[in-house]
Amino acid sequence: MKAKQSEINERTESFLDERWIIANMKDARPQDISYYNGALKALEFGGYDWQRDEYGKHRIWKSH
């Protein structure tokens, strides 16, 4: 069964929310921060734009 684009976006946003929380914990390791930043760069490479609000909630969309 093929996932809908909206479902993929929701899962990706949830993943980014979790990674942001981990990367911003008081005892975050450098690799946690790097993993989060790498995920954002991968999205951009894949043609997506993203936005994060002040609460760490992400929103992604396909660039045109």
Side-chain angles (χ1 to χ4, degrees), residues 8-9 12-13 16 43 48-50 58-62:
I8 293 169
N9 285 8
T12 302
E13 290 167 350
L16 290 171
L43 275 176
Y48 285 85
D49 286 324
W50 62 273
H58 292 76
R59 188 173 67 88
I60 67 167
W61 62 93
K62 193 72 168 168

Side-chain angles (χ1 to χ4, degrees), residues 6 9 15 17 19 23 28 31 41-42 45 50 52 55 64:
S6 61
N9 285 8
F15 170 79
D17 294 349
R19 299 299 349 158
Q31 55 266 43
K41 289 297 177 192
F45 183 77
W50 62 273
R52 180 183 62 237
Y55 304 107
H64 296 296

Side-chain angles (χ1 to χ4, degrees), residues 4-59:
K4 293 181 183 179
Q5 187 62 47
S6 61
E7 183 180 343
I8 293 169
N9 285 8
E10 287 176 21
R11 288 181 182 184
T12 302
E13 290 167 350
S14 178
F15 170 79
L16 290 171
D17 294 349
E18 291 173 13
R19 299 299 349 158
W20 185 84
I21 291 168
I22 292 168
N24 286 280
M25 293 173 73
K26 187 171 72 170
D27 59 347
R29 302 169 301 165
Q31 55 266 43
D32 296 326
I33 298 164
S34 179
Y35 190 75
Y36 169 72
N37 289 331
L40 293 176
K41 289 297 177 192
L43 275 176
E44 293 169 358
F45 183 77
Y48 285 85
D49 286 324
W50 62 273
Q51 188 174 39
R52 180 183 62 237
D53 68 16
E54 65 271 16
Y55 304 107
K57 179 72 178 136
H58 292 76
R59 188 173 67 88

